[in-house]
Amino acid sequence: MLASNFVDFLSALMGTRMMRAFDGVDEMEPWSYEFALDFLRCVKICRVDGDEWENERYTVQDSELLVKLGLLERPLVPEDPPKKKGRPKGSKDKRPRKSRTTRRKNMDGVNESTFD
């Protein structure tokens, strides 16, 4: 009985502290408590080479939000700038193409172009 009361006390204490931390960040105000916990569930750090802890890569907005919550020291900078979408300029094939005309036979049996 004492152990279950202690666990309930700890969960209530952690819940109120987390709610206070969420209230301090303006971007998280419209979020529900469940949505905020799902967001924090995705935050992971892993140990690299036995000593150092390393964060996973996050989007810039997520890393700024984690800095405001105190879970990261500084926002992460993206490794590469975003690439432009589409075909690179000047890479279009510039060879002359055949014209697409429909040919029909006239009464004499000679092919005749309709778009000449």
Side-chain angles (χ1 to χ4, degrees):
M1 183 70 176
L2 289 175
S4 65
N5 287 340
F6 182 69
V7 170
D8 290 342
F9 170 73
L10 285 180
S11 65
L13 184 68
M14 287 174 42
T16 55
R17 287 188 180 185
M18 289 173 64
M19 288 298 286
R20 234 182 285 146
F22 296 160
D23 288 340
V25 179
D26 293 335
E27 289 88 359
M28 294 181 79
E29 271 187 37
W31 291 6
S32 67
Y33 186 69
E34 181 183 0
F35 188 77
L37 286 180
D38 285 340
F39 171 73
L40 291 178
R41 196 173 293 130
C42 296
V43 177
K44 295 181 181 160
I45 58 174
C46 56
R47 186 171 282 207
V48 179
D49 299 329
D51 292 334
E52 291 186 30
W53 288 92
E54 192 172 291
N55 292 318
E56 286 187 354
R57 299 299 297 175
Y58 306 111
T59 61
V60 176
Q61 293 85 8
D62 287 350
S63 64
E64 289 173 355
L65 190 61
L66 292 172
V67 167
K68 290 180 183 178
L69 286 172
L71 299 175
L72 289 179
E73 295 174 8
R74 62 190 184 329
L76 302 174
V77 179
E79 293 177 348
D80 298 324
K83 295 181 179 181
K84 291 184 178 179
K85 294 182 180 178
R87 183 183 3 205
K89 199 169 196 175
S91 68
K92 187 175 180 183
D93 191 15
K94 296 180 179 161
R95 290 182 293 167
R97 301 284 181 200
K98 294 179 183 176
S99 63
R100 294 183 176 214
T101 59
T102 58
R103 302 212 178 256
R104 64 178 181 197
K105 290 185 178 182
N106 62 8
M107 298 297 230
D108 301 330
V110 180
N111 285 341
E112 189 176 278
S113 176
T114 56
F115 296 107
D116 287 339

